[in-house]
Amino acid sequence: MRVFANPVGAGSLWFDNLATADGTPVAYDPQARAFLPMPPFCVNREVIGCNWIAPKQGAFCRACAMTELVPDPAIPDAIPHWAQTEAAKRWVLDNLGRWHWFRPEDPGARPVFHMLAEGPTPVPMGHAGGVVTISVAEADPVLLTTRREALEEPYRTMIGHMRHEIAHMLWWRLSLREDFLAAFRALFGDEREDYPTALQRHYHEGPPPGWRSSFLTTYASAHPHEDWAETAAHLLHLTDITDSFVAAGLSSPQLPSPGWDPYMEPDAERLIQVAVSLVVGVNHVNRSMGLSDLYPFVLSAVARRKLVFVHDWLRRGAQGL
């Protein structure tokens, strides 16, 4: 994620800022990729702290307009959890916008979001026919940690959920192209395999022996759809980590050039190699504070080929190139 210029003075702004250091209200324009010091602001600004501009006074911003169902406010903490969930959604939408997904120049369908709070029954997250369902309850750090440990997932965050579930929607968009499906099946397998049966097998039997040689995570081994979603999410993790490293003004001999833009890099192998070198260093820094690794994954040769495939399609797919 970029670090942004202050439109009314010195200093910088971060992606989630609602005001400058001196208190001037600002809002983010995702089309210009810049902060503006003037309305119209999103109507959700006072409700959930949305900091994007709107097309007109009293309207939703581009991101909030994608949310069709909102949490029941009667459920405890539903609104603050929703606010954190929408913030994660805006972050991921802006990442994907760097490759033109879901911007005005993208001719395809946008995702529709159902943001649901959890009562006595957990909300299953997923995607179906362009609709992304998200449990806002996982914005709660205690619940998130409990599920991370129960499912043995080394990385589970709301941004991670957004990247994974939106990736399913991106596959749905790309699957309308015959050239995509043939290439996808050659590398990931046939997604027409019965999905409920595959998931049941995964949860009862676990991943296959030697799964690390072909998959990024155990969940990726469950079904080709999940392999795609996990791989696409990891490509976005690695690209955004690298972009944020550059934007923060940090340096490394691994960076190809000053001001290098990872989202503009056409060579996926180069991007992945740079990203991996950076996360190794950041993992080392985290360990100095007794924290978990930022990116606790090992990329096999097969996983790298899948990342390259996803990179190719996400960079050109939004505009049908």
Side-chain angles (χ1 to χ4, degrees), residues 270-282:
R270 186 186 206 187
L271 171 62
I272 293 165
Q273 188 58 42
V274 172
V276 168
S277 72
L278 296 182
V279 297
V280 167
V282 178

mmCIF file with all atom_site columns, all heavy atoms in Angstrom, residues 270-282:
data_model
loop_
_atom_site.group_PDB
_atom_site.id
_atom_site.type_symbol
_atom_site.label_atom_id
_atom_site.label_alt_id
_atom_site.label_comp_id
_atom_site.label_asym_id
_atom_site.label_entity_id
_atom_site.label_seq_id
_atom_site.pdbx_PDB_ins_code
_atom_site.Cartn_x
_atom_site.Cartn_y
_atom_site.Cartn_z
_atom_site.occupancy
_atom_site.B_iso_or_equiv
_atom_site.pdbx_formal_charge
_atom_site.auth_seq_id
_atom_site.auth_comp_id
_atom_site.auth_asym_id
_atom_site.auth_atom_id
_atom_site.pdbx_PDB_model_num
ATOM 1  N N   . ARG A 1 270 ? 10.351 -12.478 -11.062 1.00 0.00 ? 270 ARG A N   1
ATOM 2  C CA  . ARG A 1 270 ? 11.142 -11.422 -10.433 1.00 0.00 ? 270 ARG A CA  1
ATOM 3  C C   . ARG A 1 270 ? 10.425 -10.862 -9.214  1.00 0.00 ? 270 ARG A C   1
ATOM 4  O O   . ARG A 1 270 ? 11.024 -10.669 -8.148  1.00 0.00 ? 270 ARG A O   1
ATOM 5  C CB  . ARG A 1 270 ? 11.401 -10.312 -11.454 1.00 0.00 ? 270 ARG A CB  1
ATOM 6  C CG  . ARG A 1 270 ? 12.328 -9.211  -10.966 1.00 0.00 ? 270 ARG A CG  1
ATOM 7  C CD  . ARG A 1 270 ? 12.380 -8.100  -11.998 1.00 0.00 ? 270 ARG A CD  1
ATOM 8  N NE  . ARG A 1 270 ? 13.633 -7.357  -11.926 1.00 0.00 ? 270 ARG A NE  1
ATOM 9  C CZ  . ARG A 1 270 ? 13.892 -6.255  -12.625 1.00 0.00 ? 270 ARG A CZ  1
ATOM 10 N NH1 . ARG A 1 270 ? 12.976 -5.795  -13.453 1.00 0.00 ? 270 ARG A NH1 1
ATOM 11 N NH2 . ARG A 1 270 ? 15.050 -5.649  -12.507 1.00 0.00 ? 270 ARG A NH2 1
ATOM 12 N N   . LEU A 1 271 ? 9.136  -10.604 -9.358  1.00 0.00 ? 271 LEU A N   1
ATOM 13 C CA  . LEU A 1 271 ? 8.349  -10.092 -8.244  1.00 0.00 ? 271 LEU A CA  1
ATOM 14 C C   . LEU A 1 271 ? 8.383  -11.052 -7.065  1.00 0.00 ? 271 LEU A C   1
ATOM 15 O O   . LEU A 1 271 ? 8.607  -10.641 -5.917  1.00 0.00 ? 271 LEU A O   1
ATOM 16 C CB  . LEU A 1 271 ? 6.904  -9.864  -8.704  1.00 0.00 ? 271 LEU A CB  1
ATOM 17 C CG  . LEU A 1 271 ? 5.876  -9.538  -7.611  1.00 0.00 ? 271 LEU A CG  1
ATOM 18 C CD1 . LEU A 1 271 ? 6.226  -8.240  -6.898  1.00 0.00 ? 271 LEU A CD1 1
ATOM 19 C CD2 . LEU A 1 271 ? 4.482  -9.462  -8.206  1.00 0.00 ? 271 LEU A CD2 1
ATOM 20 N N   . ILE A 1 272 ? 8.173  -12.316 -7.320  1.00 0.00 ? 272 ILE A N   1
ATOM 21 C CA  . ILE A 1 272 ? 8.144  -13.316 -6.247  1.00 0.00 ? 272 ILE A CA  1
ATOM 22 C C   . ILE A 1 272 ? 9.503  -13.409 -5.565  1.00 0.00 ? 272 ILE A C   1
ATOM 23 O O   . ILE A 1 272 ? 9.595  -13.486 -4.332  1.00 0.00 ? 272 ILE A O   1
ATOM 24 C CB  . ILE A 1 272 ? 7.708  -14.680 -6.808  1.00 0.00 ? 272 ILE A CB  1
ATOM 25 C CG1 . ILE A 1 272 ? 6.246  -14.615 -7.270  1.00 0.00 ? 272 ILE A CG1 1
ATOM 26 C CG2 . ILE A 1 272 ? 7.885  -15.783 -5.764  1.00 0.00 ? 272 ILE A CG2 1
ATOM 27 C CD1 . ILE A 1 272 ? 5.834  -15.768 -8.156  1.00 0.00 ? 272 ILE A CD1 1
ATOM 28 N N   . GLN A 1 273 ? 10.565 -13.393 -6.352  1.00 0.00 ? 273 GLN A N   1
ATOM 29 C CA  . GLN A 1 273 ? 11.901 -13.494 -5.780  1.00 0.00 ? 273 GLN A CA  1
ATOM 30 C C   . GLN A 1 273 ? 12.208 -12.305 -4.863  1.00 0.00 ? 273 GLN A C   1
ATOM 31 O O   . GLN A 1 273 ? 12.750 -12.471 -3.766  1.00 0.00 ? 273 GLN A O   1
ATOM 32 C CB  . GLN A 1 273 ? 12.953 -13.575 -6.892  1.00 0.00 ? 273 GLN A CB  1
ATOM 33 C CG  . GLN A 1 273 ? 14.359 -13.869 -6.393  1.00 0.00 ? 273 GLN A CG  1
ATOM 34 C CD  . GLN A 1 273 ? 14.437 -15.176 -5.615  1.00 0.00 ? 273 GLN A CD  1
ATOM 35 O OE1 . GLN A 1 273 ? 13.832 -16.173 -6.007  1.00 0.00 ? 273 GLN A OE1 1
ATOM 36 N NE2 . GLN A 1 273 ? 15.164 -15.171 -4.509  1.00 0.00 ? 273 GLN A NE2 1
ATOM 37 N N   . VAL A 1 274 ? 11.837 -11.105 -5.304  1.00 0.00 ? 274 VAL A N   1
ATOM 38 C CA  . VAL A 1 274 ? 12.050 -9.923  -4.472  1.00 0.00 ? 274 VAL A CA  1
ATOM 39 C C   . VAL A 1 274 ? 11.216 -10.020 -3.202  1.00 0.00 ? 274 VAL A C   1
ATOM 40 O O   . VAL A 1 274 ? 11.714 -9.776  -2.089  1.00 0.00 ? 274 VAL A O   1
ATOM 41 C CB  . VAL A 1 274 ? 11.696 -8.639  -5.249  1.00 0.00 ? 274 VAL A CB  1
ATOM 42 C CG1 . VAL A 1 274 ? 11.730 -7.422  -4.309  1.00 0.00 ? 274 VAL A CG1 1
ATOM 43 C CG2 . VAL A 1 274 ? 12.664 -8.432  -6.406  1.00 0.00 ? 274 VAL A CG2 1
ATOM 44 N N   . ALA A 1 275 ? 9.949  -10.393 -3.351  1.00 0.00 ? 275 ALA A N   1
ATOM 45 C CA  . ALA A 1 275 ? 9.061  -10.483 -2.192  1.00 0.00 ? 275 ALA A CA  1
ATOM 46 C C   . ALA A 1 275 ? 9.587  -11.485 -1.170  1.00 0.00 ? 275 ALA A C   1
ATOM 47 O O   . ALA A 1 275 ? 9.584  -11.210 0.041   1.00 0.00 ? 275 ALA A O   1
ATOM 48 C CB  . ALA A 1 275 ? 7.655  -10.866 -2.644  1.00 0.00 ? 275 ALA A CB  1
ATOM 49 N N   . VAL A 1 276 ? 10.015 -12.641 -1.627  1.00 0.00 ? 276 VAL A N   1
ATOM 50 C CA  . VAL A 1 276 ? 10.512 -13.671 -0.712  1.00 0.00 ? 276 VAL A CA  1
ATOM 51 C C   . VAL A 1 276 ? 11.751 -13.177 0.031   1.00 0.00 ? 276 VAL A C   1
ATOM 52 O O   . VAL A 1 276 ? 11.903 -13.397 1.239   1.00 0.00 ? 276 VAL A O   1
ATOM 53 C CB  . VAL A 1 276 ? 10.804 -14.976 -1.478  1.00 0.00 ? 276 VAL A CB  1
ATOM 54 C CG1 . VAL A 1 276 ? 11.589 -15.947 -0.615  1.00 0.00 ? 276 VAL A CG1 1
ATOM 55 C CG2 . VAL A 1 276 ? 9.496  -15.624 -1.941  1.00 0.00 ? 276 VAL A CG2 1
ATOM 56 N N   . SER A 1 277 ? 12.636 -12.485 -0.663  1.00 0.00 ? 277 SER A N   1
ATOM 57 C CA  . SER A 1 277 ? 13.840 -11.974 0.002   1.00 0.00 ? 277 SER A CA  1
ATOM 58 C C   . SER A 1 277 ? 13.484 -10.953 1.078   1.00 0.00 ? 277 SER A C   1
ATOM 59 O O   . SER A 1 277 ? 14.115 -10.914 2.144   1.00 0.00 ? 277 SER A O   1
ATOM 60 C CB  . SER A 1 277 ? 14.794 -11.345 -1.026  1.00 0.00 ? 277 SER A CB  1
ATOM 61 O OG  . SER A 1 277 ? 14.292 -10.111 -1.524  1.00 0.00 ? 277 SER A OG  1
ATOM 62 N N   . LEU A 1 278 ? 12.450 -10.145 0.825   1.00 0.00 ? 278 LEU A N   1
ATOM 63 C CA  . LEU A 1 278 ? 12.053 -9.140  1.811   1.00 0.00 ? 278 LEU A CA  1
ATOM 64 C C   . LEU A 1 278 ? 11.380 -9.776  3.023   1.00 0.00 ? 278 LEU A C   1
ATOM 65 O O   . LEU A 1 278 ? 11.640 -9.377  4.173   1.00 0.00 ? 278 LEU A O   1
ATOM 66 C CB  . LEU A 1 278 ? 11.110 -8.115  1.170   1.00 0.00 ? 278 LEU A CB  1
ATOM 67 C CG  . LEU A 1 278 ? 11.694 -7.261  0.049   1.00 0.00 ? 278 LEU A CG  1
ATOM 68 C CD1 . LEU A 1 278 ? 10.653 -6.268  -0.449  1.00 0.00 ? 278 LEU A CD1 1
ATOM 69 C CD2 . LEU A 1 278 ? 12.956 -6.540  0.483   1.00 0.00 ? 278 LEU A CD2 1
ATOM 70 N N   . VAL A 1 279 ? 10.491 -10.762 2.808   1.00 0.00 ? 279 VAL A N   1
ATOM 71 C CA  . VAL A 1 279 ? 9.781  -11.339 3.951   1.00 0.00 ? 279 VAL A CA  1
ATOM 72 C C   . VAL A 1 279 ? 10.719 -12.137 4.851   1.00 0.00 ? 279 VAL A C   1
ATOM 73 O O   . VAL A 1 279 ? 10.502 -12.210 6.065   1.00 0.00 ? 279 VAL A O   1
ATOM 74 C CB  . VAL A 1 279 ? 8.576  -12.212 3.519   1.00 0.00 ? 279 VAL A CB  1
ATOM 75 C CG1 . VAL A 1 279 ? 7.538  -11.359 2.805   1.00 0.00 ? 279 VAL A CG1 1
ATOM 76 C CG2 . VAL A 1 279 ? 8.980  -13.391 2.677   1.00 0.00 ? 279 VAL A CG2 1
ATOM 77 N N   . VAL A 1 280 ? 11.771 -12.699 4.283   1.00 0.00 ? 280 VAL A N   1
ATOM 78 C CA  . VAL A 1 280 ? 12.754 -13.382 5.127   1.00 0.00 ? 280 VAL A CA  1
ATOM 79 C C   . VAL A 1 280 ? 13.364 -12.390 6.118   1.00 0.00 ? 280 VAL A C   1
ATOM 80 O O   . VAL A 1 280 ? 13.512 -12.675 7.316   1.00 0.00 ? 280 VAL A O   1
ATOM 81 C CB  . VAL A 1 280 ? 13.845 -14.043 4.262   1.00 0.00 ? 280 VAL A CB  1
ATOM 82 C CG1 . VAL A 1 280 ? 15.023 -14.481 5.126   1.00 0.00 ? 280 VAL A CG1 1
ATOM 83 C CG2 . VAL A 1 280 ? 13.278 -15.236 3.506   1.00 0.00 ? 280 VAL A CG2 1
ATOM 84 N N   . GLY A 1 281 ? 13.696 -11.180 5.618   1.00 0.00 ? 281 GLY A N   1
ATOM 85 C CA  . GLY A 1 281 ? 14.259 -10.155 6.495   1.00 0.00 ? 281 GLY A CA  1
ATOM 86 C C   . GLY A 1 281 ? 13.255 -9.654  7.520   1.00 0.00 ? 281 GLY A C   1
ATOM 87 O O   . GLY A 1 281 ? 13.587 -9.479  8.704   1.00 0.00 ? 281 GLY A O   1
ATOM 88 N N   . VAL A 1 282 ? 12.011 -9.434  7.096   1.00 0.00 ? 282 VAL A N   1
ATOM 89 C CA  . VAL A 1 282 ? 10.998 -8.943  8.028   1.00 0.00 ? 282 VAL A CA  1
ATOM 90 C C   . VAL A 1 282 ? 10.652 -10.017 9.064   1.00 0.00 ? 282 VAL A C   1
ATOM 91 O O   . VAL A 1 282 ? 10.420 -9.706  10.241  1.00 0.00 ? 282 VAL A O   1
ATOM 92 C CB  . VAL A 1 282 ? 9.745  -8.469  7.266   1.00 0.00 ? 282 VAL A CB  1
ATOM 93 C CG1 . VAL A 1 282 ? 8.673  -8.014  8.255   1.00 0.00 ? 282 VAL A CG1 1
ATOM 94 C CG2 . VAL A 1 282 ? 10.090 -7.335  6.317   1.00 0.00 ? 282 VAL A CG2 1
#
